[in-house]
Structures are given as C-alpha cells and as structure tokens.
Amino acid sequence: MKRFEDTAKRCADRVREEQKVRLVSHIDADGLASAAIATKAIERAGIRVEVDFVKQLDELVLDRIGRSASGVVIFTDLGSSMIGEMAKYAFTPIILDHHIPPDVDSDTENFDFHLNPHFFGINGSYELSGSGVAYIFAQMLAENHENRDLADMAIVGAVGDLQDKKYRQLVGVNRQILEEASELGIISYEKDLRIFGRQTRPIQRMLQYSSEPHLPGITGDERGCLDFFSRVGISLKDADDMRWRRWIDLTPDEKQRIVSGLVEHCVKHGVDGVERLIGEVYTLSREPVGSELRDATEFSTLLNSTARYGEAQIGLRIAMGDREEAYKRSKELLREHRRNLTAGVNFVKETGITVLKNIQYFNAGDHIKETIVGIIAGMSVNTLSKENLPIVGFAKCDDGLKVSARAPYSLVKRGLNLADAITASAKEVNGFGGGHDIAAGGVIPENQMERFLVMLDEEVGKQIN
Ligand code: C5P
Ligand code: C5P
Ligand code: ZN
C-alpha cells in the first residue's frame, strides 16, 4: 500500500503543475464515480478539468484524444491496456485504472504515472475499483484529508462494479475506504437482505425481480410473490396511508420473518447458495430515505442508466452532487434502462442460450444495446441457465460485434481468467478486449463470431482443466 500511495502522490504532484487538464473515463457507474471523484479533487486544487467519456479506449479513440491533447490527460477506470500506444502522442498520460494490464509482469509500472492496483499486489477485480483508485489519488491531492468526503462515491463505484459480490461485502482497500466513509458518517453498512431495491421498490416487486439466487416460484412470478407474503403474514400496504411498503418501511421483526421464510423456501426447493441472500449493504447517510441515491447499488444503477445511453454528463453531474436538473432527468433514463433490461433478459429467454464445451453464449444482434449486453449476460446466467460455465453475450456495435463475458467464481478459482481468454481469442480474429478475471469484454469483426467462439472455448478449456 505504501508503494501504491507513493505512486498516487507522484501522479497528484504532476497534476499540480498544470492549470488545466483533460480527463477521460469509462461509461459505467464506476467510470462516472471515478471521474466525479477525480474532477472534484482537481477542481478543489484550483485546476480546471475537461471531462470526456468513452465506451472503451481502443486505438481509434486514443488517436482522437492524442491528436488534440497536450499537457496532462488523466485516464480513470481505463487506460492500462493502451499504455504502450500512448508513447507516440505529445500529452503526458496519468492512468488511474484497475483493469488487468496486458503485461502485468513487465515493467510498464515503472512508467511514472501508472496507478493500477494489479502492479502493487492489490486485486483490482474485488479489492479496489476505478473509483477507489481515484479516491486514493484525490487524498494525495488534498491537505488535511479534505477529500475524504468523496469516499461515498468510491463505494458506489466499487459496488457498481460488483466488487462486493465475491464475499458479499467489500474487502481489501475497498474496506479501508468504507471504514473512512463510515467514520466520517457518510456511509453506514450492515448485514441485510442483498436484494436490489431496498429503498425504492414495493417489497413484492423487490422479490419478484430478485435473481441472486434465483428463487423458484418467486423470481419472475407475481402470484408466487403475493402468496409468499401472505404465507409469512406481511401486509404489502401501509395500514394508514395505503401506500406500497418498501423494505425500509418494515420492522426488524417483519424483515426477520421474510428472511426466514425465504431461507425455508430455498431449502425446500433445493436452491444452491441460499447464503447469497444475506450480506453487507451500503447506505449513503446524506441522501434522503427512500431515494435511489441512498443505497449504493441503486445509486450505481441510476448512474448506469445515464452513461450507457450517451448521457454521461448527466451521470457525472449527479455523482458530483447535482440533485436538481440532472437528477430529474436521470429518473426518466432509469425507467428506460429498467425497460431495456427486462426486454433484454426476455430476448435471451426466448432465443435461448447455446451451450458449448466450456462456455455458453447468446447472440442478441441489434436487439440489445451493446452498452448493456454485459449487464444482461450477468442477469441471464442466474435465471436462465443451469450450466456452471462462463456466459458470453454478443451484440452489434459500430465496429463489429461487442463481446461481453461473465463467469462464476468457482471457475476463477480453477484458473479461469476471462480477460486473458477474451484478449487472446479476440486478437486471433483481429479484435481486441480486456477486463477482469471474472468479467471481460471486447470487440471483434462481425463475421468472426464462430471462429472467436471456437478459440474462446478452447482457451477457457485450457485455463480450467
Ligand atoms: O469496466 P469495469 O471494471 O468498471 O467493469 C467491471 C464489470 O465487471 C462490471 O460490469 C461488473 O458488473 C462486472 N462484474 C461482474 N461480476 C463480478 C464482478 C464484476 O459481472 N463478480
Ligand atoms: O462491457 P462489459 O460490461 O462486458 O465489460 C466487462 C469488463 O471488460 C469491464 O471491466 C470492461 O471495462 C472490460 N472491457 C475492456 N475492453 C473492452 C470491453 C470491455 O477492457 N473492449
Ligand atoms: Zn471499473
């Protein structure tokens, strides 16, 4: 950690030499949170920042940036994979990333301003997110801990990247940041039901849409949900104002009855992984009760519903504190995002998932937007597939086919590294990719799906056998 902080300090010192910098970030919740943290910290240091968001940093995108930039360009939540290519441009790159660098064993870390946990014995898939990296950088830019108040966004980013999924709680450096946020009183954490929508959804909807684990007769089953609540004796509406009750409206005793009922239900139906129902949840104490900003997971979904639809500046403004115009607009985007997710999962359900030897896949063509096909791959695998195999989703994009892959932890334990497998297979068909062991993505030429699948199937087989 000391070495990591030294590098963070070097990056911060370099930024202080500038009057204005550019910042480039990724279009997901962690990317937005990263950009918000870095931007605030830099502005507080009296330096101006111009922020851009990109779907991914490929050669074309880098070239567009490289041709127009001089001075310092800060990359948050991306950049490590393109470090080699950056040398040919006039700007000075500062990289605050957490994706697996393509040559993690080489000496690219010796490059002055490359802050990536993977070089420092910290695992960037679950111990530190892009926004966590930005947070450490922000601390180095401030005197007297004045940037500690940005810790809640670091938690939103980490949770947005599902970094709390492996242990059902944040660990590693993420946990240190969590403790700082908690000491400051801006985040609280507790053990609770880990189902999406605790702040905003009527409880029956919350259960109906739960997918981790899949609850037979409850997930996706409105009637089944209502039956469940009547069985455990919980009324869905408030007796006084007849409003639908949310998880946060229930008494501790009622919550306990529901949890026990769910566990019993899972045992009865032979559901694996009942323990996944319970784990840590993160509450942003400064946000209003019942708002999607109060729960870290719901906040991250709100952010995703902006940037993944070309509205990254809206998400950035919310992550930086706007609760007026940008926040209002995001509510519409959120509704649209939810509709798209439901439609996407339904599409996969109807077309089916094809199972190969070591992987399974679906091709959404242009039925699913490339920027959310990864989320849908992750959602589908829980509800639609019994196979313990990585899932790969394809969707059309401007440059060909977008690839998004997600894996179960059991396979990562056996040696699976999706970032390596996708990168290698994509390269064979003139594409590119990257990411983490557990989740990775890329782009390949449109007519190369079959060949890519053969390569990936073989590559994954080699890793896990
Ligand atoms: O680009 P970035 O690192 O920010 O994104 C990480 C991605 O990995 C997210 O889309 C997240 O949903 C996914 N992920 C996952 N399962 C995990 C951990 C991360 O699907 N257990
Ligand atoms: O796009 P998707 O959600 O599938 O991305 C999964 C992970 O792979 C993310 O961490 C993302 O940043 C990474 N990725 C990448 N290069 C790409 C596409 C995705 O590093 N071309
Ligand atoms: Zn990230």
PDB file of all heavy atoms in Angstrom, residues 28 30 77 98-99 130 161, ligand 3:
ATOM      1  N   ASP A  28     -19.439   3.588 -17.376  1.00  0.00           N
ATOM      2  CA  ASP A  28     -20.288   2.843 -16.447  1.00  0.00           C
ATOM      3  C   ASP A  28     -20.260   3.516 -15.077  1.00  0.00           C
ATOM      4  O   ASP A  28     -19.613   4.551 -14.895  1.00  0.00           O
ATOM      5  CB  ASP A  28     -19.900   1.361 -16.390  1.00  0.00           C
ATOM      6  CG  ASP A  28     -18.559   1.141 -15.752  1.00  0.00           C
ATOM      7  OD1 ASP A  28     -17.906   2.119 -15.354  1.00  0.00           O
ATOM      8  OD2 ASP A  28     -18.148  -0.031 -15.645  1.00  0.00           O
ATOM      9  N   ASP A  30     -18.860   2.856 -12.254  1.00  0.00           N
ATOM     10  CA  ASP A  30     -17.543   3.058 -11.666  1.00  0.00           C
ATOM     11  C   ASP A  30     -16.774   4.156 -12.414  1.00  0.00           C
ATOM     12  O   ASP A  30     -16.083   4.968 -11.793  1.00  0.00           O
ATOM     13  CB  ASP A  30     -16.769   1.731 -11.692  1.00  0.00           C
ATOM     14  CG  ASP A  30     -15.459   1.796 -10.930  1.00  0.00           C
ATOM     15  OD1 ASP A  30     -15.400   2.508  -9.911  1.00  0.00           O
ATOM     16  OD2 ASP A  30     -14.493   1.130 -11.352  1.00  0.00           O
ATOM     17  N   ASP A  77     -10.533   4.663 -14.636  1.00  0.00           N
ATOM     18  CA  ASP A  77     -11.274   3.417 -14.885  1.00  0.00           C
ATOM     19  C   ASP A  77     -10.980   2.832 -16.268  1.00  0.00           C
ATOM     20  O   ASP A  77     -11.728   1.993 -16.762  1.00  0.00           O
ATOM     21  CB  ASP A  77     -12.792   3.621 -14.690  1.00  0.00           C
ATOM     22  CG  ASP A  77     -13.543   2.307 -14.547  1.00  0.00           C
ATOM     23  OD1 ASP A  77     -12.964   1.350 -13.998  1.00  0.00           O
ATOM     24  OD2 ASP A  77     -14.711   2.232 -14.998  1.00  0.00           O
ATOM     25  N   HIS A  98      -7.988   0.072 -12.918  1.00  0.00           N
ATOM     26  CA  HIS A  98      -7.927  -1.156 -12.105  1.00  0.00           C
ATOM     27  C   HIS A  98      -8.152  -2.407 -12.941  1.00  0.00           C
ATOM     28  O   HIS A  98      -8.371  -3.480 -12.414  1.00  0.00           O
ATOM     29  CB  HIS A  98      -8.948  -1.097 -10.961  1.00  0.00           C
ATOM     30  CG  HIS A  98     -10.374  -1.231 -11.424  1.00  0.00           C
ATOM     31  ND1 HIS A  98     -11.249  -2.163 -10.911  1.00  0.00           N
ATOM     32  CD2 HIS A  98     -11.078  -0.550 -12.375  1.00  0.00           C
ATOM     33  CE1 HIS A  98     -12.436  -2.042 -11.508  1.00  0.00           C
ATOM     34  NE2 HIS A  98     -12.359  -1.070 -12.393  1.00  0.00           N
ATOM     35  N   HIS A  99      -8.159  -2.255 -14.283  1.00  0.00           N
ATOM     36  CA  HIS A  99      -8.294  -3.431 -15.148  1.00  0.00           C
ATOM     37  C   HIS A  99      -6.944  -4.152 -15.245  1.00  0.00           C
ATOM     38  O   HIS A  99      -5.903  -3.522 -15.097  1.00  0.00           O
ATOM     39  CB  HIS A  99      -8.765  -3.007 -16.535  1.00  0.00           C
ATOM     40  CG  HIS A  99     -10.166  -2.484 -16.534  1.00  0.00           C
ATOM     41  ND1 HIS A  99     -10.454  -1.151 -16.395  1.00  0.00           N
ATOM     42  CD2 HIS A  99     -11.347  -3.125 -16.608  1.00  0.00           C
ATOM     43  CE1 HIS A  99     -11.769  -0.991 -16.405  1.00  0.00           C
ATOM     44  NE2 HIS A  99     -12.337  -2.173 -16.522  1.00  0.00           N
ATOM     45  N   GLY A 130     -12.059   1.346  -9.897  1.00  0.00           N
ATOM     46  CA  GLY A 130     -11.529   2.548 -10.529  1.00  0.00           C
ATOM     47  C   GLY A 130     -11.764   3.767  -9.654  1.00  0.00           C
ATOM     48  O   GLY A 130     -10.888   4.622  -9.492  1.00  0.00           O
ATOM     49  N   ASP A 161     -19.323  -1.964  -9.800  1.00  0.00           N
ATOM     50  CA  ASP A 161     -18.507  -2.988 -10.474  1.00  0.00           C
ATOM     51  C   ASP A 161     -18.674  -4.364  -9.828  1.00  0.00           C
ATOM     52  O   ASP A 161     -17.924  -5.282 -10.127  1.00  0.00           O
ATOM     53  CB  ASP A 161     -17.022  -2.600 -10.429  1.00  0.00           C
ATOM     54  CG  ASP A 161     -16.601  -1.820 -11.667  1.00  0.00           C
ATOM     55  OD1 ASP A 161     -17.485  -1.450 -12.455  1.00  0.00           O
ATOM     56  OD2 ASP A 161     -15.388  -1.594 -11.840  1.00  0.00           O
TER      57      ASP A 161
HETATM   58 ZN    ZN B   3     -14.255  -0.154 -13.041  1.00  0.00          ZN
END
